[in-house]
Amino acid sequence: MTTDAPTPPTTTKESYCSTSTSSSCATESSLEKVATKKAVFQDVERSDSVSARERLELSRIRSGAVDMDLDEQEQELQRGMSRVDSKNPDVVGWDGPNDPANPFNWPNRKKWRITLIVALVTFCVAFASSVFTAGISSIAEEFHISSTVATLGLTLYVVGFATGPLVFAPMSEVYGRNVVYIGSWIPFMLFQIGCALSKNAATLLVSRLISGIAGSSPLSNAGGTLGDIWTPAERGDAMSFFTLAPFMGPVFGPIVGGFLAEYVSWRWTFWLVLILSGVMFIFLLFAMPETYSKVLLERKAAHLRKETGNENLHAAHERGGVSHMQRFGQSIVRPVVMLVTEPIVFLISLYCALVYAILYMNFVAYPIVYQRERGWSMGIGGLPFLAIGFGMVCAVATSPYQTKLYLKLTAERGNSKIYPEGRLPFAIFGAFCLPVGIFWFGWATLPQVHWICSVLAGIPFGFGMVILFLCMFSYLVDSYLLYAASSLAANTLLRSLFGAFFPLFASRMYIKLTPRWACTLLGFISLAMAPIPFLFYKYGPAIRARSKRTF
């Protein structure tokens, strides 16, 4: 990737590989630890007083016959080198820094194909969440239930977003990305049929819950996929493109669903999702390669064992007596642990959860404002969401400038390492665009104010929302390289819980308080959260230095 800004050493592919068999760079402290251990073992070998038992133990460590702590194994994966001796001939790694099998070295056209697929898959599941809202009144009427009970179809689907990644994110870090994508996509498609053919509310709600759980894997794993293939200097543009997907889906859902519910049937919203997900399944099956280095190195080692007959060949992280199930057991609790113990993960997740909840509350607020108060039809009443979509596109258009600023800050402050805080300057600006859009929308809904004024308020809201998510997602991925999927899963957990339950009381809140005062309340809450990006921009390096999981 070329740029006019000075490029720091960490932005090159070579910096992600050691001179021997690394899959990605180690932290400075980890390398010092390895160097110290090497020196110690060399002293032991040279010592005449060392016992035969000690020499045997040293030999066992070198051969990988001893168990390793799980976190040390994860560090091994990140380095792609032997725990003690990187020249161990039995350790299988990348063939130098330019190995074409290393995902960081894949051609850009292949990387962008992968990015496009994960973005479209994420768009599809996000679209399925909000397309349902257009048919809530029709569903309530047909099944003789209240609108609040019908809204549970949205709530349960987004609850699935919260619970699914707790399993899918660690699964992807143990078994690879593709098996999770494909394995979860099949039930996601099947339960769209259950929704479309449901004869009662119970069947519909259960099908929505299961389809939400199954469709949640891209929300946490796609970020890990992008971290697998893009270097930090390149990742900004890819993350910009990807971040648009989970928000453009909810924007287009009410628009398309409104016209389908008005002119055909609410059931066709699910048939449409089934068609889209079927196309995505073909892409996942035939055009999506495995990207996770751990799995790729395991496959390489297995191939070499078969080819050479040397059963001692292994990837660095495969040594020891730790099974896949033990790894999975540790990984499945990691998102929750990170949410509780990592200040970066918790505060960013809390902020994202608030923004996400406000977005989903708009699915209730917009029909009240435009259909109930202004008398618009279901189809036309969804069109104001286009303004939010336009703001999102404007946010993504800033990506080249964000990347240029990131490279500049990394060169100046990164000390030849990744500088995650370089992702945050635009988030500081976006944090204040968000409350501006909320206040604007609320007070522009007065009956005497022309409708275009309230519609245009969606532009700063959409812009601020995507800028925030884009910068903060990138910040999480850069800060927790190896645990990117788990950090995003923790984010998705809290964000989805907020997005699930806030719409349940949104209708009553907007009616009781009126849209003006409801938006005033939300605006002040978002304004109180606005300093978070600045706090991490200023104090992030000190916070990361105290964490054992950050880069």
Side-chain angles (χ1 to χ4, degrees), residues 430-512:
F432 291 95
C433 290
L434 194 73
V436 167
I438 297 172
F439 285 125
W440 179 353
F441 173 74
W443 290 98
T445 58
L446 289 167
Q448 62 268 30
V449 179
H450 194 277
W451 58 265
I452 193 64
C453 294
S454 58
V455 170
L456 293 177
I459 297 176
F461 176 80
F463 179 86
M465 178 175 60
V466 169
I467 284 286
L468 282 170
F469 275 86
L470 170 60
C471 295
M472 292 193 289
F473 278 7
S474 297
Y475 183 56
L476 284 176
V477 172
D478 280 3
S479 297
Y480 300 91
L481 283 174
L482 193 61
Y483 305 110
S486 290
S487 67
L488 293 176
N491 184 288
T492 301
L493 169 64
L494 198 60
R495 173 164 48 96
S496 298
L497 288 175
F498 274 51
F501 291 106
F502 272 55
L504 288 177
F505 62 81
S507 177
R508 187 163 298 180
M509 184 179 79
Y510 277 97
I511 292 173
K512 294 272 187 183

Side-chain angles (χ1 to χ4, degrees), residues 380-416:
I380 300 299
L383 292 178
F385 283 100
L386 289 175
I388 297 179
F390 179 75
M392 294 176 176
V393 173
C394 291
V396 172
T398 66
S399 176
Y401 305 99
Q402 293 186 48
T403 300
K404 187 174 181 179
L405 181 58
Y406 167 74
L407 294 176
K408 179 181 177 181
L409 292 172
T410 302
E412 293 174 353
R413 308 178 188 180
N415 296 322
S416 300

